[in-house]
Amino acid sequence: MKRTIFYYTLCLCLGWLPGSSGNVNGHPEQASDAGDGKTQRDYLEWMRRTLPDSPEWTAWQQASGELPPDFGQLPKSNLLPDPLRFLDGRPVGNTVAEWRTRRTEIMQLFEKYVTGTFPPKPSITQVVLLDETAGKGYTVRNVRVEFGPQGKGSVRIRVVIPDGGQQEKLPVMISPNLAGWGATVIRRGYISAGYAGNDAMDDAAPLKDVYPEYDFAALPRRAWLVQVVVDYLATLPRVDTTRIAINGYSRDGKMVMMAAAVEERIAAVIAGSTGVGGIVPWRFSGERGGGEGLETTTRSFPTWFHPRLRFFSGAEDRLPVDANLLAALVAPRAALFQWGYTDQVANGWAMEQAYASAQTVYERLGEPDRLGLLAVPGFHGSNDVDACIDWLERQFGRSSREWINRFIFPWNFGQWQAAAGEKADLLSYPPHSATAPLAASSAEWDGKAGSLRDGIRRMLGNTPPKLVIPPSERRPFPASRRPVYGPTEIAKGQVGNPGQLAPDVPSWVIAAGGTSYGWSSPEKDNVASRRIFFDGITGDLYYPAGTPEGTKLPTVIWLHGYHYPLGYMWVYRRDLHPILALTKAGYAVLAYDQTGFGTRWSEAAPFYDRFPHSSRMGKMVEDLSSAIDALQADTLADAGRVWVFGYTMGGSLGLYAAALDERIAGVVSVAGFTPMRTDTPERGASGMTRYSHLYGLIPRIGLFAGHETQLPYDYDDLMALIAPRPVLIVQPLKDRDAHAEDVRAAVKRAQAVFTFKQAADRLGLHEPNDYGRLTDGMQDKIIEWMKSH
């Protein structure tokens, strides 16, 4: 299927006053410097004050004196940069020469912002044979190749050559370790070539001293070293130099993508679960994606990329390059992206977005079948080497077997619209002013609230009928068979927290004492959980360990963000997970994966084939209603005190659900929205069509593309419909996917309705001077606000 693919706070209710943010949106990077560097120095000071400390980066910045880029001089886009447009916006012409010019520009941008500068390719000065051993049907040869100035550079290489005639040319598979894929590929008629280019054996490490005038970082050094490996392979008579491939997994997957970009004699690259810096775009990862991101990667692994990259923490929308452009640098040569369905390092949806963008270059160059996808069951580490070789056999012309790129998230708005026959009669939808009050009186608002809810339901789509099973015919899950997990069970290895990640993450990260998942001691040692089942969905109900039987706890439903791999969990975060923060504060917390995310990934692809006139957001609202039904029947949850707490996508979901379901007692929405009617493409966020064209959550919104002001409702209406129940909006000022001043204005308009309802103190707005993440400090403020309401 083709793809188109301190803490600054303002609280209206409490009267807290805003301080100076430099400009209306709190983004110092949005205004260009007047030549004195003040904006850049202010941004650097914000980084030092706000971001977690990275000693290596701080030492580099102080030694170099380098300031952040003048972000105002860089294009702003929260969507992927177009590979077929130059940095200045000019389109790339239809000739190969024009693409080569654009390719050169992309390489230069990567060297400036990501990899550091590369030296010219060196010449080999000497090859030293270390040993050679004859095996049964193959020969193993270990060599040391010396190169560069005075032969100061060297790399160890191991080749495993299947037996055969000297005239028989064989393809080669390069791996960034000596053993590599040798055991598999020699059985398939390949030469295995492993080199010392990984954490355990890194012959690229000394290159920073061999080439002191170049500043290429650790992974780029290993990638650059591949040129020497290919030069050596070219001296072997049995090597087919037109069919050289390279593979790498995880951090080595990032590296081999760089290697294929630098060394154009590589005919094919297989990049497995690369995470960010490889095939997962920085723009679609990080805290918003529930996984590793630019800030965490540059802090946790400060030598992998050039330190300059860290300046873009939270400002990824200003980075001129991204994963899709790295993939485009390989074109028209072959590339395969591989990952696990619930791979906590990869992000299948984001990788498919990178694929769809890079594919435009492959099509322009006349090689549309050179780019491949392979998803396999499992978490990080899941791989199918033989399937990867099957793909490579076709690319190298050694097999005619069909290869099908199977998308996990195959969404295309245009295809949906054509198949569903959906359209909007725009004449029936008058334009709305972004500044007009929602109503002049309580009576006027009450008179229009019903039609607003009807409009919201229409936008969410048709809800298929739901069969209600009479209570007398239900078969409840026996309490005696319901798994309950507490600190004792976890200590015995009966891991249940967080249950939906077992056995992978709990066993090798959380139970081992890791802190990178926000699931850490002592909080995790003081929480218990049990499973709740509703409408075919499995949820986990967390609560303070030792809660007496019969206790009714205020309950929060945690609504996760765009966490494609892991659903309600997140990774590469040292901030305490909201589940633990809330249970520590005395709440019970229900968590489950939203449709199309985490353990429910398989629901995404067929959804609109099955329900073309519905929406995935509508299904999420329906699931949330069912979750409340289940909580109302639960012995632990206080049915009258059920709140929803959502982050990014979950923040949007919580507002939709509470506007339509009065059983929800309160809402917390963190980085959950920017008003749709003013979210136009030229403003550089994801645009109103993020819900329709990008994520496929509410397709009917896309019918108003280019006519945003005619949308029948906006987020100010959603907030107002929840009144007088409490609503807290948390909008970080540096959130790159929102316009903070627009959010502020929407809250102000909704505030009038809360005032009508004698509930002015129940609509709050917090504006931390941070980017779109959820920190410990924010959670403390949120929980304090919840308890006071």
Side-chain angles (χ1 to χ4, degrees), residues 46-58 287 294-300 310 313-314 572-575 770-771 773 775-776:
W46 170 82
M47 291 182 67
R48 290 170 174 166
R49 186 176 62 251
T50 308
L51 300 184
D53 185 37
S54 174
E56 296 89 345
W57 183 85
T58 299
E287 293 84 355
L294 197 149
E295 189 282 316
T296 57
T297 299
T298 57
R299 169 168 45 88
S300 303
R310 186 165 174 79
S313 297
Y572 295 102
R573 299 290 302 278
R574 294 187 180 180
D575 296 298
D770 210 329
Y771 66 93
R773 57 182 180 153
T775 66
D776 288 339

Side-chain angles (χ1 to χ4, degrees), residues 644-719:
V644 293
F645 185 135
Y647 174 57
T648 62
M649 180 191 74
S652 299
L653 168 58
L655 293 170
Y656 271 99
L660 299 175
D661 191 336
E662 294 188 357
R663 296 176 300 171
I664 295 173
V667 181
V668 174
S669 175
V670 182
F673 71 93
T674 196
M676 296 182 288
R677 290 172 181 151
T678 54
D679 190 19
T680 51
E682 68 275 6
R683 299 187 68 188
S686 296
M688 176 202 73
T689 54
R690 70 184 73 189
Y691 301 108
S692 53
H693 293 60
L694 183 60
Y695 295 113
L697 294 176
I698 312 175
R700 287 178 176 172
I701 282 180
L703 302 177
F704 294 83
H707 303 274
E708 287 84 356
T709 63
Q710 294 177 251
L711 278 167
Y713 66 90
D714 210 332
Y715 281 97
D716 49 3
D717 297 305
L718 293 176
M719 288 183 283

